[in-house]
Amino acid sequence: EAKAKRAAAPMASQAPAECEEVATGAAMRNEFVPAPPVEAGISVMYPLPGRFTVKSGEAEKKVKIYEKIMVAEFEYFCLPRISQLAYLTGEVKNETAYLFLSGDASTYVGDDFTGRISMPSVAPDEKVVISFGVDERVKVERKTVKSKVSKGGLVKKNTRYEYIYENLLTNYHDKEIKCQVVDQLPVSQSPDIRIQDMSLEPKPAEEEKDMAIYRWKTLVRAKQELKITVSFAVEIPLDALVQGL
């Protein structure tokens, strides 16, 4: 289970003799004490903390192998061009000696169930980003400020498309939040199609020029709004068609 909690816990890797000593004290307090993993070449074995009986024909039984509370860095991910929703994500680092195996996982924010995800395998010291679902208290909107089509040209007739979009993100939380907003501009794959007058305000933190993908990473204060303005123009031959602008 993945829970959105900001808490730290001590490392659980100890030598076998120390584990035996800790287990004795913990057993008196009726606490769960995991057994450290055992590496065997390229494979890893997970000793079970105690003995368990599985009767013939009995349904599957779940056994706790390890439990760890990890610190997460939370961020809202938004892609207004595709979806006007804000997704809460948390980046965590596997600070244990355990290889976390891939499989289905349940996610919670506090005690509220937010969904099920497919977790990849996570090696010790590796980082992974976990999605905790949509947060309705962060509103995302994409407005079309300008949409103009004109035809003309002195020598070669063409069609010119002009667009201005506003990406708006409003934080209705009582606290400051960290956000990442992603947008993409058109990319020409033909010499007859020209992308002109591109403008991004404010300037993005990261960009992938080949794909014209831009990322803004910023903090949005409580009850405040973030506005990102994107504008561009596209010129194509008069008899050509273009979609998805």
Side-chain angles (χ1 to χ4, degrees):
E1 293 180 347
K3 293 193 175 184
K5 291 185 178 179
R6 299 178 184 272
M11 294 294 290
S13 57
Q14 299 168 321
E18 294 174 339
C19 283
E20 183 178 353
E21 181 180 351
V22 173
T24 303
M28 295 175 63
R29 297 189 300 271
N30 196 27
E31 294 179 2
F32 172 77
V33 177
V38 178
E39 293 190 15
I42 60 173
S43 63
V44 180
M45 295 184 294
Y46 300 89
L48 298 180
R51 294 187 176 185
F52 299 88
T53 301
V54 180
K55 298 180 181 179
S56 177
E58 185 179 6
E60 64 180 21
K61 178 183 292 186
K62 292 184 178 181
V63 177
K64 182 188 291 186
I65 296 177
Y66 186 74
E67 184 178 63
K68 171 74 172 178
I69 297 176
M70 295 179 289
V71 177
E73 183 176 347
F74 294 98
E75 180 181 70
Y76 286 91
F77 179 83
C78 310
L79 188 60
R81 187 173 183 269
I82 304 299
S83 173
Q84 296 184 22
L85 297 171
Y87 297 87
L88 176 62
T89 64
E91 182 182 72
V92 296
K93 182 180 180 180
N94 180 4
E95 297 178 337
T96 76
Y98 288 78
L99 168 67
F100 296 161
L101 302 179
S102 61
D104 294 333
S106 300
T107 58
Y108 296 81
V109 176
D111 293 326
D112 297 329
F113 175 76
T114 58
R116 293 187 61 81
I117 60 173
S118 179
M119 280 283 294
S121 61
V122 186
D125 293 324
E126 184 181 4
K127 292 182 178 180
V128 63
V129 177
I130 300 172
S131 175
F132 290 94
V134 175
D135 190 336
E136 297 293 346
R137 288 172 292 182
V138 180
K139 299 297 182 181
V140 180
E141 185 178 3
R142 183 176 175 90
K143 291 183 177 180
T144 302
V145 178
K146 180 180 180 180
S147 177
K148 180 181 178 181
V149 181
S150 56
K151 298 183 179 182
L154 296 176
V155 179
K156 188 176 181 180
K157 298 297 182 180
N158 57 43
T159 303
R160 179 180 173 87
Y161 297 85
E162 298 177 62
Y163 291 97
I164 299 178
Y165 293 106
E166 284 184 352
N167 296 321
L168 306 174
L169 185 147
T170 307
N171 175 20
Y172 287 100
H173 283 277
D174 294 326
K175 61 181 179 181
E176 186 178 70
I177 61 173
K178 182 180 179 181
C179 297
Q180 178 181 172
V181 181
V182 180
D183 206 343
Q184 184 178 25
L185 270 60
V187 177
S188 175
Q189 297 181 343
S190 169
D192 294 329
I193 299 177
R194 293 178 293 175
I195 312 299
Q196 302 174 333
D197 303 333
M198 293 188 298
S199 176
L200 304 168
E201 182 61 37
K203 184 179 179 180
E206 299 176 2
E207 61 180 88
E208 299 177 33
K209 289 187 176 181
D210 293 343
M211 298 297 295
I213 297 175
Y214 302 91
R215 303 176 189 273
W216 289 262
K217 297 183 177 182
T218 186
L219 298 175
V220 182
R221 294 181 178 179
K223 313 300 182 183
Q224 297 297 309
E225 180 184 80
L226 169 67
K227 181 170 73 173
I228 298 172
T229 304
V230 177
S231 62
F232 60 90
V234 179
E235 283 193 0
I236 64 172
L238 193 64
D239 58 348
L241 295 175
V242 65
Q243 296 179 333
L245 299 178

